[in-house]
Amino acid sequence: ENLIKKIQAIAKQKNRISLYNLDANILIKNLHQYKNPNHTFCFFDPPYYNQGGNLYKNSLTNADHVRLHSNITNLKSVHWVTTYDHQETISKMYDDCVGFKYTLTYSASNKRREWEYLFTNKKTKVESFNRMKLFPI
């Protein structure tokens, strides 16, 4: 019932949402063609750093993650957020960004809470909401 309400709330915003089935690096390179960057918010959710190969059809190498980081952080006029698994390599990679950690409930094999990262640029303001508590890193 709660999930249905969330989907309905998102559906009310459908005219303001665009989805692209593109590689993130290609999307970033051509973003100006799709929307006015000053009025754009991008959410990047790359495959997990360590477990990506076990969980997804397409995973990234360390070099791919570094390239994606470079492209995301070069988006100066766009509001953006990216989330990642709680890995020291990722924390160091994104140390030039505003960073937070938060807990997320995993339920794929056994239900448990794990830490994840959320990074953003200085242009984008984020805050804790409801049960999602952000802890600055």
Side-chain angles (χ1 to χ4, degrees), residues 25 28 62-76 80 84 93-94 96-97:
N25 295 299
I28 292 167
N62 182 69
D64 294 331
H65 285 285
V66 169
R67 180 174 166 234
L68 182 59
H69 161 267
S70 177
N71 287 329
I72 290 173
T73 56
N74 282 324
L75 287 171
K76 303 300 183 197
W80 61 264
Y84 260 106
M93 189 182 304
Y94 282 84
D96 56 338
C97 300

Side-chain angles (χ1 to χ4, degrees), residues 93-132:
M93 189 182 304
Y94 282 84
D95 69 353
D96 56 338
C97 300
V98 178
F100 300 90
K101 64 181 186 174
Y102 64 96
T103 58
L104 186 67
T105 301
Y106 292 143
S107 58
S109 57
N110 56 348
K111 193 172 183 177
R112 67 193 190 286
R113 294 193 65 81
E114 295 287 342
W115 287 104
E116 291 213 353
Y117 285 125
L118 181 145
F119 300 101
T120 187
N121 57 1
K122 291 181 173 105
K123 180 177 180 151
T124 307
K125 304 299 179 210
V126 296
E127 60 186 47
S128 298
F129 179 77
N130 207 352
R131 292 182 295 172
M132 176 64 82

Side-chain angles (χ1 to χ4, degrees), residues 14-115:
K14 67 182 178 186
N15 294 332
R16 300 177 61 201
I17 299 171
S18 298
L19 300 174
Y20 302 96
N21 187 21
L22 296 172
D23 176 278
N25 295 299
I26 294 170
L27 175 71
I28 292 167
K29 180 180 175 187
N30 298 298
L31 193 59
H32 64 281
Q33 296 176 20
Y34 305 116
K35 297 288 178 188
N36 177 343
N38 292 315
H39 297 101
T40 299
F41 170 78
C42 291
F43 173 70
F44 300 99
D45 189 27
Y48 286 146
Y49 185 80
N50 277 347
Q51 291 295 320
N54 297 329
L55 298 171
Y56 308 106
K57 180 180 175 184
N58 299 311
S59 62
L60 303 178
T61 65
N62 182 69
D64 294 331
H65 285 285
V66 169
R67 180 174 166 234
L68 182 59
H69 161 267
S70 177
N71 287 329
I72 290 173
T73 56
N74 282 324
L75 287 171
K76 303 300 183 197
S77 61
V78 172
H79 295 274
W80 61 264
V81 166
T82 187
T83 55
Y84 260 106
D85 48 328
H86 192 254
Q87 297 296 322
E88 185 177 351
T89 303
I90 294 299
S91 177
K92 289 178 181 177
M93 189 182 304
Y94 282 84
D95 69 353
D96 56 338
C97 300
V98 178
F100 300 90
K101 64 181 186 174
Y102 64 96
T103 58
L104 186 67
T105 301
Y106 292 143
S107 58
S109 57
N110 56 348
K111 193 172 183 177
R112 67 193 190 286
R113 294 193 65 81
E114 295 287 342
W115 287 104

